[in-house]
């Protein structure tokens, strides 16, 4: 049985990624969110798939919370980590109206937290990399963080995604000798609380296509920035 950890798994893309991996009978999913007691859909998945989903209380911005999760997982090899947790950061993100406290929090969640999660679970990832043909770290980014994408607004969100792109690019170089691949995804414009109802792809389609692509990824793909379809995305 392979083991996958998904952060922000209580809704949207994270919840659908959890469902996508439950469709793969050789996976056990560790589903993480800040308030499992309120995650009704996740709790139903635990009931419907006994023994295949472990629910973890984890705040990705709180090192003590991550340390506690890492303690519960001590000795468990982790084949795949999906850094999915993320926030938009509020409405005040323009040239003439910036909420700097919110901007700082967006960076904590979108840019710094993926690094915190990886550091906390690195022994687990290295264990899987030694025992199998390699471990994978996937981080959900956005085309809005690509310097090649020309549009206006969303200063906090977009800068946080540009920053996590660089974090993961650096991590790919550091972890390649450990047989751990690091890949970034633009999940598409998805119909979630963040993407809005006018978005052009469902979270189910985005998640399932990304899961199919992740299955095919190897160490040769490390450092890539991909669309949900598996096609390369411009930086």
């Amino acid at each position: 049985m392979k083991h996958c950890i998904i952060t922000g798994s209580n809704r949207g893309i994270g919840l659908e990624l959890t469902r996508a991996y439950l469709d793969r009978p050789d996976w056990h999913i560790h589903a993480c969110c800040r308030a499992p007691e309120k995650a009704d859909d996740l709790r139903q998945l635990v009931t419907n798939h006994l023994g295949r989903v472990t629910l973890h209380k984890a705040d990705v911005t709180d090192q003590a919370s991550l340390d506690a999760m890492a303690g519960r997982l001590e000795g468990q090899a982790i084949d795949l980590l999906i850094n999915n947790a993320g926030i938009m950061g509020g409405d005040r993100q323009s040239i003439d109206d910036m909420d700097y406290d919110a901007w700082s929090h967006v960076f904590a969640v979108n840019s710094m937290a993926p690094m915190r999660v990886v550091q906390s679970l690195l022994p687990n990832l290295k264990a899987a990399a030694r025992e199998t043909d390699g471990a994978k770290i996937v981080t959900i980014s956005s085309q809005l963080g690509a310097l090649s994408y020309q549009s206006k607004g969303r200063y906090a969100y977009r800068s946080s995604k540009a920053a996590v792109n660089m974090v993961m690019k650096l991590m790919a170089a550091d972890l390649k000798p450990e047989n751990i691949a690091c890949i970034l995804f633009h999940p598409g414009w998805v119909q979630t609380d963040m993407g809005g109802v006018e978005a052009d792809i469902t979270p189910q389609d985005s998640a399932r296509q990304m899961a199919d692509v992740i299955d095919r990824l190897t160490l040769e793909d490390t450092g890539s920035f991909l669309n949900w379809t598996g096609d390369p995305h411009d930086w």
Side-chain angles (χ1 to χ4, degrees):
M1 184 73 74
K2 294 183 287 188
H3 287 255
C4 169
I5 291 185
I6 304 171
T7 66
S9 58
N10 56 309
R11 63 180 182 174
I13 295 171
L15 181 63
E16 295 307 325
L17 282 165
T18 302
R19 290 185 170 127
Y21 277 94
L22 281 171
D23 286 343
R24 292 156 165 77
D26 55 339
W27 283 92
H28 182 99
I29 298 87
H30 299 268
C32 307
C33 61
R34 287 183 299 166
E37 67 279 2
K38 298 179 181 179
D40 294 338
D41 290 332
L42 266 184
R43 293 169 69 88
Q44 189 62 52
L45 288 180
V46 173
T47 300
N48 293 346
H49 301 271
L50 290 176
R52 300 227 16 239
V53 185
T54 302
L55 209 49
H56 294 274
K57 181 180 178 66
D59 182 339
V60 295
T61 66
D62 183 344
Q63 191 61 52
S65 176
L66 293 176
D67 289 344
M69 181 178 69
R72 295 190 296 271
L73 291 167
E74 186 174 1
Q76 174 62 62
I78 298 297
D79 301 273
L80 172 62
L81 163 62
I82 302 180
N83 285 309
N84 167 72
I87 58 174
M88 182 61 78
D91 295 327
R92 295 175 54 207
Q93 299 188 41
S94 68
I95 187 65
D96 54 5
D97 185 17
M98 173 60 73
D99 184 337
Y100 285 92
D101 289 336
W103 194 357
S104 178
H105 185 55
V106 170
F107 257 79
V109 175
N110 292 358
S111 310
M112 297 167 64
M115 181 79 164
R116 284 187 184 274
V117 175
V118 170
Q119 286 184 327
S120 299
L121 298 173
L122 197 52
N124 310 80
L125 291 159
K126 287 182 176 180
R130 288 192 301 268
E131 296 168 8
T132 67
D133 58 355
K136 300 171 187 177
I137 298 168
V138 168
T139 297
I140 306 302
S141 183
S142 171
Q143 69 178 5
L144 295 179
L147 298 183
S148 60
Y149 188 81
Q150 298 298 311
S151 63
K152 296 180 180 180
R154 294 293 178 192
Y155 278 66
Y157 179 76
R158 297 181 66 165
S159 61
S160 75
K161 289 301 187 180
V164 81
N165 285 358
M166 179 55 76
V167 169
M168 292 297 135
K169 188 73 171 176
L170 293 168
M171 191 179 292
D174 280 337
L175 294 181
K176 187 173 183 178
E178 303 285 351
N179 202 26
I180 301 173
C182 300
I183 298 94
L184 291 144
F185 274 92
H186 166 54
W189 185 22
V190 185
Q191 297 164 8
T192 61
D193 290 345
M194 191 180 297
V197 296
E198 295 181 355
D200 54 17
I201 182 172
T202 67
Q204 293 89 345
D205 284 344
S206 175
R208 291 182 184 281
Q209 288 193 65
M210 284 193 291
D212 288 342
V213 175
I214 292 167
D215 287 347
R216 302 193 298 268
L217 294 173
T218 70
L219 193 61
E220 295 305 309
D221 300 299
T222 195
S224 297
F225 184 19
L226 304 175
N227 283 301
W228 74 101
T229 58
D231 298 314
H233 195 293
D234 291 338
W235 293 93

